[in-house]
Each structure stands twice: as C-alpha cells, then as structure tokens.
C-alpha cells in the first residue's frame, strides 16, 4: 500500500511512520509535512535512507500540491496527523489553527473525494471539552470544545464525518488522549517538565495542578490507529487512550522521581485561560477490535521522562534555539509571579 502521512515529521506522526514501516515493510510511506517549528527531520533520523520512505515539504492547505503528490505516488490512503497542536500556542495566535486544522483537513477531504482515496483523521479527546467526574466520553457524545485548538480540531472532525454522510467518502477517525513518548516537542507538559527538571529549572504547574489527563504512551496510539486502519468500520470514530487519568501533580511526581529530582522545583503559576479540568474517555469500542494498551499511564510518563534524560542530543538544540522566545513569552511573567489573567 502507498500511504500519505501528513505531519509525519511531528511527534505522533514520526512515531507512527517508524511503527508502520517496522510492521508493514513492503508499504511505501510519503511523509507530507510543512516542517513548522514542531516538524523535525531528525525525528526520523534513522529512516531517511530507507527506499520505502519519501519526504515532501509542503502545506496540507495547498490543494494543488496535495493532489499532485497523491497522483505522483499513487497514494491509496491518507493518514492526517498534520496540525497546529498546542493549546497555549492557540491562545497566543489562534488563526493559523483554523488555517491548518480546519482548512487543511478540508483540502485533504476534497482531494480524497476527487481521487477516490480513504482518509483516516487524527482527532483528540479535547473535542469533547472538559468532562465532569464520573463520566467517560463515548464516541457518540456531542462535541463541546473550549480552546481555539480544540474548536479547530472539532471542526475538522465534523467535516470528516460530513464527507462520509454526504459523499460516502471512506473515512475513519481516532480521538487520542494526551500522548507522551519520544520526540515530543518540549512545549507540551511532560517533555517541558522533564527537560526543565534535567536542567534544574522550575516546573511551571498551571493553577492548582489538579487537572486530570489520560497520559497514554504514543506506542499505544500507533497500535490503536493501526487497528482502526486494518479492522475498523468505515465512517466510524474510535477513542484511543488508557481510560485512566491522573492529576498533573501526580504526573509531575512521576517525572521528578524518574529523574531523581525533588519537588522544590515545582512552582504553581497563574492558570491557562479556559483550562479544561478533566479529560476522560471510554475506549471499549477500540478494544472490540482486539486492541489493548500496553502501557499504563504511570509507566508511560516514566518512560517518556527517561527518554529525555537519555536523548539530550534531540532536545538541547530545540531548547537553545527558537523555543527560547516562546518560553519567555509564555512563562517569564508567570514564573516571576507577575502574570495576570
Ligand atoms: P506535532 O505538533 O508534534 O506535529 C505536527 C506536525 O504537523 C509537524 O510535523 C508539523 O510540521 C506538521 N504541520 C503543521 N502544519 C502543517 C501544514 N499546514 N501542512 C503540513 N504539515 C503541517 O503534533 P503531534 O502531537 O504529533 O499531533 C499529531 C496529531 O495528533 C494532531 O492532529 C493532533 O491534534 C493529534 N493529537 C495529539 C495529541 C497529543 O497528545 N500530542 C493527542 C491527541 C491527538
Ligand atoms: P499539555 O501537554 O499542553 O496538553 P493539553 O493541554 O492538550 O492537555 O498540558 C497537559 C496538562 O498540563 C494540562 O492540564 C496543562 C498542564 N500544563 C501545566 O500545568 N504547565 C505547563 O507549562 C504546560 C505546558 C501544561
């Protein structure tokens, strides 16, 4: 099979490309990526000389480019990971989220419709909004996104479903929980806290730190997507996570313990505006396809923290480069206690 993996140089996309080529060595994978700050060639450093892997540096919102690449490589399946993905970035500069996440996904749907391709879309638990204690989101729940990021992902998710209903386009959707693991850009909580702890810098915990997340290992997300691609029903949505949450403070404890650091590094800072308190998904529908997560969230977070300790070559150039400007903007006033809502 010939696959177009959009966003294949990002965190989850690159883990998926590595997993897919290991499991399906005869397939050809075309990574289609704009290489934004989050898209990094080095995420696939060990694979670029494979004859099964190609890189196209381009934008998913460029319809002519997507069409030409799909035709040239005789693509049969598009897996759409490409997105702007960080909630805090979506609060600082939201418009690009609409451009890539909504318009970009729409362009992929149009090309898939024109060329008769299957499209699998990577959505997120954030489309459900925050979830009261005692409930776990199921795939039929209505969407109630609360950040510009989540709203753009919900719009994309619904466009994908609309193309199935209206045009019969063969689509599937997975809604992933918070992923952790190798090659996650250090703007996200687990790699940020891990790299800060390694550097002996403060860990900026938003608000009281009692928000709840399902920290799932990226490996289990990859196997979940594979299960849906191979055995899922067309037109269906599947949640992918562990179904178990922890508070951010518990996640911080695991990171500190793994890296042998103490909690004097923890600093509570002013909260993220509109911060979702809790995400929690029921993953029984995916289990019915024969899938089971390998990692519990504790082990997922610990293994991720360890990866950052062992792979400074990967994150030090990022932290020493353009990331500093973002870090200053996002955290300087917060860590000084001067930030206001
Ligand atoms: P990431 O930010 O690490 O990577 C995104 C990738 O998309 C990068 O390689 C970037 O260069 C590329 N990209 C961005 N805009 C593009 C454009 N216009 N055209 C082509 N490529 C573009 O993100 P990630 O964490 O790997 O997330 C991948 C997908 O999974 C996203 O759709 C995200 O919404 C979803 N998701 C992420 C998580 C998580 O915890 N990280 C959880 C659930 C779902
Ligand atoms: P994040 O990795 O940004 O994922 P999301 O917001 O998509 O769930 O954040 C995970 C949790 O950690 C979330 O509740 C926000 C919190 N957080 C902090 O407390 N401090 C930080 O500096 C960051 C980036 C996140």
């Amino acid at each position: 099979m010939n696959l177009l993996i959009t966003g294949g140089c990002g965190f989850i996309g690159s883990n998926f490309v590595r997993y897919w080529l290991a499991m399906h060595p005869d397939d050809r994978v075309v990574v289609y990526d704009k290489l934004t700050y989050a898209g990094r060639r080095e995420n696939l450093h060990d694979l670029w000389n494979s004859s099964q892997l190609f890189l196209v540096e381009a934008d998913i919102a460029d319809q002519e480019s997507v069409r030409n690449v799909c035709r040239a490589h005789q693509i049969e399946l598009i897996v759409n990971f490409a997105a702007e993905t960080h909630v805090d970035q979506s609060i600082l500069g939201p418009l690009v989220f609409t451009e890539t996440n909504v318009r970009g996904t729409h362009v992929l749907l149009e090309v898939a419709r024109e060329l008769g391709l299957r499209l699998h879309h990577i959505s997120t638990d954030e489309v459900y909004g925050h979830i009261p204690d005692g409930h776990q989101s199921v795939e039929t729940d209505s969407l109630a996104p609360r950040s510009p990021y989540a709203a753009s992902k919900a719009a994309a998710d619904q466009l994908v479903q609309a193309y199935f209903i209206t045009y019969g386009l063969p689509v599937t959707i997975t809604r992933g929980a918070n992923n952790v693991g190798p090659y996650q850009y250090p703007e996200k909580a687990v790699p940020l806290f891990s790299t800060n702890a390694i550097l002996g810098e403060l860990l900026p915990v938003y608000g009281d730190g009692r928000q709840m997340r399902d920290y799932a290992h990226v490996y289990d997300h990859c196997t979940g997507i594979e299960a849906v691609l191979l055995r899922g029903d067309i037109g269906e949505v599947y949640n992918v996570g562990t179904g178990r949450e922890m508070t951010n403070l518990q996640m911080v404890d695991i990171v500190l313990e793994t890296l042998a650091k103490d909690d004097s590094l923890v600093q509570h800072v002013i909260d993220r505006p509109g911060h979702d308190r809790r995400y929690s998904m029921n993953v029984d529908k995916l289990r019915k396809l024969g899938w089971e997560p390998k990692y519990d969230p504790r082990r997922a977070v610990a293994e991720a923290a360890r990866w950052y300790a062992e792979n400074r070559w990967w994150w030090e150039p990022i932290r020493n480069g353009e990331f500093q400007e973002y870090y200053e903007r996002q955290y300087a006033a917060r860590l000084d206690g001067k930030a206001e809502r």
Side-chain angles (χ1 to χ4, degrees):
M1 189 160 57
N2 297 330
L3 295 86
L4 189 79
I5 309 289
T6 71
C9 286
F11 162 48
I12 306 174
S14 63
N15 276 281
F16 181 78
V17 168
R18 183 171 290 106
Y19 175 78
W20 192 269
L21 284 175
M23 301 304 289
H24 309 272
D26 296 331
D27 284 357
R28 289 171 74 250
V29 168
V30 179
V31 167
Y32 186 102
D33 199 300
K34 190 178 170 186
L35 299 179
T36 67
Y37 71 94
R40 313 193 72 84
R41 281 191 177 83
E42 60 268 35
N43 291 2
L44 291 167
H45 62 98
D46 46 330
L47 286 179
W48 288 123
N49 52 18
S50 159
S51 58
Q52 302 304 102
L53 180 64
F54 305 84
L55 174 64
V56 176
E57 185 179 344
D59 191 332
I60 57 166
D62 180 343
Q63 187 165 354
E64 199 182 328
S65 163
V66 175
R67 185 193 297 121
N68 289 342
V69 172
C70 286
R71 282 210 175 113
H73 289 274
Q74 298 178 304
I75 295 299
E76 298 155 87
L77 166 67
I78 299 175
V79 186
N80 181 29
F81 292 92
E84 291 291 337
T85 61
H86 190 42
V87 174
D88 293 324
Q89 301 270 17
S90 85
I91 295 168
L92 294 172
L95 267 181
V96 66
F97 284 71
T98 309
E99 181 60 22
T100 290
N101 300 1
V102 185
R103 197 170 169 279
T105 303
H106 202 169
V107 163
L108 296 177
L109 287 164
E110 273 299 284
V111 173
R113 183 163 81 91
E114 186 185 337
L115 303 183
L117 312 178
R118 177 173 175 187
L119 185 140
H120 179 78
H121 178 70
I122 310 300
S123 188
T124 163
D125 60 0
E126 305 202 18
V127 299
Y128 295 118
H130 66 175
I131 306 303
D133 288 344
H135 182 67
Q136 290 205 307
S137 305
V138 291
E139 290 82 351
T140 47
D141 284 355
S142 47
L143 307 189
R146 294 167 19 97
S147 71
Y149 163 66
S152 69
K153 292 295 292 183
D157 187 313
Q158 296 197 310
L159 272 171
V160 175
Q161 295 188 62
Y163 268 59
F164 172 69
I165 294 163
T166 308
Y167 304 110
L169 191 77
V171 302
T172 38
I173 295 175
T174 41
R175 295 189 182 137
N178 283 63
N179 277 209
V180 297
Y183 306 106
Q184 185 170 30
Y185 196 79
E187 65 192 351
K188 305 290 194 316
V190 169
L192 180 80
F193 292 168
S194 300
T195 54
N196 275 16
I198 293 163
L199 295 169
E201 291 180 16
L202 294 172
L203 277 50
V205 172
Y206 293 155
D208 64 7
R210 298 191 190 284
Q211 306 84 4
M212 303 201 81
R213 296 290 185 270
D214 174 353
Y215 289 104
H217 198 283
V218 65
Y219 173 85
D220 288 321
H221 195 180
C222 293
T223 60
I225 296 164
E226 181 190 42
V228 172
L229 290 178
L230 300 181
R231 300 185 294 282
D233 288 329
I234 295 298
E236 291 295 317
V237 180
Y238 296 85
N239 292 338
V240 192
T242 72
R244 294 159 60 183
E245 315 89 61
M246 66 173 85
T247 64
N248 285 333
L249 287 176
Q250 288 170 318
M251 174 269 280
V252 165
D253 278 348
I254 299 167
V255 168
L256 292 174
E257 193 187 312
T258 306
L259 299 171
K261 302 282 178 178
D262 68 69
D263 61 10
S264 60
L265 289 178
V266 174
Q267 182 165 337
H268 289 266
V269 300
I270 191 144
D271 210 347
R272 171 191 280 173
H275 195 169
D276 288 340
R277 257 337 248 186
R278 177 173 177 264
Y279 300 137
S280 177
M281 290 190 298
N282 176 309
V283 295
D284 289 349
K285 187 171 173 185
L286 185 58
R287 280 204 168 94
K288 287 190 186 123
L289 296 182
W291 169 91
E292 199 55 48
K294 182 172 148 192
Y295 293 84
D296 70 47
R298 279 195 69 83
R299 188 172 151 221
V301 171
E303 293 224 350
R306 210 168 293 123
W307 189 86
Y308 292 93
E310 290 165 0
N311 289 278
R312 294 177 77 125
W313 71 270
W314 182 80
W315 57 265
E316 272 179 338
I318 298 175
R319 298 254 346 193
N320 294 333
E322 63 190 355
F323 181 75
Q324 284 182 358
E325 204 179 302
Y326 164 74
Y327 193 82
E328 180 73 18
R329 195 168 166 210
Q330 181 64 16
Y331 295 106
R334 278 191 160 88
L335 287 166
D336 281 351
K338 291 187 190 136
E340 285 171 29
R341 246 197 96 160

